[in-house]
């Protein structure tokens, strides 16, 4: 019992280089190697090392077994072996449920439950069982410590599952909740109106942002603004598409993005809005084609660059292109690491 428990604590605590001799140092080292292999995209090695850990650890409690099997399931999913991943994940969950008392006594339940639920949600998402993915992602989110890595990843899984399940408004709110209702300012210049479009979006009032964008577009059609119409319309249509999508109106968002593309076919931010709207309408191949044109977007903001990579990864998963999804995962992680090192 205690032997397995110390091993579980070593695994749950991340890489471990020292400890009691009876903590099965070879298994802990293999677990560390498996995590490192997964981080660098060497899935074959990761799978072999996790399998070795399970054989060699002599796991005496369900906590350890469930933890290792869930990691193996995560690697199998990255390899595109969705059914194998689900079978292993289901077994891990059964073991975990049978060992729930032991997990609670060790104080490990939040970490284990969140990880197990998140991996299950990802498997269901890849299998296009979106309602199940939503349920498991919500369970993972509720089990995790807010702001933790597992919590953040669960929120992202929930975000994409809600969007493809036709619940776009809730999906967008899941990653950026509304912070208030925007109060319109007294009538001013066109520039003031355009600034209000972004201000409303900034507090998550996307319905108001869309309304303001439409008003600004209507003003541009008057003779007074004919000289700036051509320059201003693409960015306003892009803002309108963004607001419409986040308000849950994917069809309208797509129409606005297509109109913006006609105005400025070179804009990569506009093409991102097009890809987002296509994704939410389950038109994943078209979304992927739009994303292929913006993957190298040096002039995009860092937020948009991250959005491009993550949307590309999830689109590839839904299309069954797991090797592509894996490349996007590694690129996304590399960007996140660079961002952390620059702060």
């Amino acid at each position: 019992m205690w032997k397995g428990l110390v091993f579980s604590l070593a695994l749950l605590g991340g890489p471990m280089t020292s400890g009691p001799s009876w903590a099965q140092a070879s298994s802990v080292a293999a677990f560390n190697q498996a995590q490192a292999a997964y981080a660098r995209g060497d899935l074959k090695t990761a799978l072999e090392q996790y399998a070795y850990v399970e054989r060699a650890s002599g796991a005496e409690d369900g906590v350890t077994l469930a933890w290792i099997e869930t990691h193996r399931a995560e690697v199998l999913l990255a390899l595109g072996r969705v059914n194998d991943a689900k079978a292993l994940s289901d077994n891990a969950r059964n073991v975990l449920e049978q060992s729930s008392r032991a997990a609670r006594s060790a104080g490990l339940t939040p970490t284990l439950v969140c990880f197990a639920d998140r991996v299950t949600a990802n498997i269901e998402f890849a299998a296009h069982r979106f309602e199940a993915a939503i349920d498991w992602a919500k369970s993972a989110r509720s089990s995790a410590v807010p702001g933790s890595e597992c919590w953040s990843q669960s929120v992202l899984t929930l975000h994409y599952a809600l969007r493809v399940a036709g619940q776009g408004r809730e999906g967008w709110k899941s990653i950026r909740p509304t912070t208030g209702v925007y109060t319109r300012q007294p009538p001013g210049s066109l520039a003031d109106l355009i600034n209000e479009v972004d201000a409303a979006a900034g507090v998550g009032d996307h319905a108001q942002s869309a309304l303001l964008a439409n008003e600004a577009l209507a003003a541009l059609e008057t003779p007074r603004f004919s000289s700036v119409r051509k320059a201003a319309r693409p960015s306003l249509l892009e803002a309108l598409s963004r607001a419409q999508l986040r308000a849950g109106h994917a069809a309208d968002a797509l129409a606005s993005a297509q109109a913006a593309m006609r105005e400025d076919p070179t804009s990569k931010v506009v093409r991102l809005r097009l890809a987002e709207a296509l994704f939410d309408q389950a038109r994943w191949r078209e979304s992927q084609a739009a994303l292929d044109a913006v993957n190298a977007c040096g002039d995009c903001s860092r937020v948009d660059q991250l959005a491009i990579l993550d949307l590309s990864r999830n689109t590839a998963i839904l299309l069954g292109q797991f090797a592509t999804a894996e490349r996007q995962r590694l690129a996304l992680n590399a960007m996140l690491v660079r961002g952390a090192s620059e702060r």
Side-chain angles (χ1 to χ4, degrees):
M1 165 64 181
W2 290 108
K3 187 178 182 181
L5 178 56
V6 170
F7 181 63
S8 298
L9 287 167
L11 299 189
L12 289 164
M16 176 179 173
T17 56
S18 64
S21 60
W22 41 269
Q24 302 198 12
S26 64
S27 295
V28 173
F31 181 83
N32 292 344
Q33 291 169 16
Q35 286 193 308
Y38 179 70
R40 67 175 181 268
D42 186 353
L43 302 180
K44 181 176 181 292
T45 297
L47 199 60
E48 290 172 349
Q49 291 296 322
Y50 282 133
Y52 170 80
V53 173
E54 187 168 344
R55 292 193 307 270
S57 65
E60 300 169 5
D61 63 285
V63 171
T64 302
L65 181 61
W67 185 248
I68 298 169
E69 289 200 337
T70 304
H71 275 89
R72 287 179 60 199
E74 185 175 47
V75 178
L76 288 169
L77 178 60
L79 286 165
R81 294 168 56 182
V82 179
N83 291 335
D84 291 340
K86 179 168 174 52
L88 200 59
S89 176
D90 287 348
N91 183 65
R93 292 195 56 78
N94 289 335
V95 171
L96 183 59
E97 289 170 7
Q98 293 169 10
S99 306
S100 59
R101 288 189 178 181
R104 278 195 292 272
S105 67
L108 306 177
T109 298
T111 302
L112 271 172
V113 170
C114 179
F115 182 56
D117 288 355
R118 178 178 65 77
V119 170
T120 302
N122 290 340
I123 292 168
E124 298 293 358
F125 180 81
H128 293 202
R129 293 187 287 264
F130 302 127
E131 294 300 331
I134 290 168
D135 289 342
W136 285 116
K138 285 181 176 178
S139 178
R141 182 183 62 177
S142 65
S143 301
V145 176
S148 66
E149 181 182 0
C150 190
W151 182 87
S152 299
Q153 291 177 348
S154 301
V155 167
L156 280 174
T157 299
L158 177 61
H159 166 70
Y160 285 107
L162 285 166
R163 286 173 62 183
V164 295
Q167 302 176 51
R169 183 170 180 270
E170 295 304 312
W172 287 102
K173 283 174 63 178
S174 68
I175 59 170
R176 189 169 183 181
T178 300
T179 57
V181 176
Y182 182 74
T183 302
R184 296 191 58 171
Q185 303 302 307
S189 66
L190 177 61
D192 291 336
L193 184 57
I194 292 173
N195 287 335
E196 283 197 84
V197 173
D198 289 334
V203 298
D205 192 346
H206 300 296
Q208 185 70 272
S209 180
L211 179 65
L212 291 162
N214 271 317
E215 287 188 22
L217 285 164
L220 278 177
E221 295 305 311
T222 63
R224 180 183 175 188
F225 298 111
S226 60
S227 63
V228 297
R229 185 181 304 144
K230 184 175 181 180
R233 271 182 62 82
S235 60
L236 269 174
L237 284 166
E238 180 269 323
L240 176 60
S241 177
R242 179 189 62 198
Q244 289 169 327
L245 191 66
R246 284 149 182 75
H249 306 300
D252 292 338
L254 178 58
S256 297
Q258 289 169 331
M261 283 295 298
R262 289 192 292 271
E263 299 276 346
D264 184 3
T266 65
S267 171
K268 293 191 174 183
V269 174
V270 168
R271 199 171 289 274
L272 171 59
R273 300 296 168 241
L274 178 67
E276 289 178 336
L278 288 165
F279 180 89
D280 283 25
Q281 294 220 329
R283 294 166 61 174
W284 300 315
R285 290 197 184 279
E286 294 170 82
S287 179
Q288 185 182 58
L291 287 166
D292 286 345
V294 295
N295 264 331
C297 185
D299 56 342
C300 290
S301 69
R302 185 170 181 273
V303 170
D304 280 341
Q305 289 176 348
L306 290 170
I308 289 165
L309 285 171
D310 207 32
L311 184 61
S312 297
R313 184 180 68 86
N314 281 277
T315 303
I317 288 171
L318 291 172
L319 291 172
Q321 300 171 357
F322 290 94
T324 299
E326 182 63 8
R327 287 195 296 273
Q328 299 292 8
R329 177 183 74 88
L330 296 173
L332 184 64
N333 288 346
M335 181 175 287
L336 290 170
V337 169
R338 285 197 303 273
S341 65
E342 291 168 1
R343 287 199 293 270

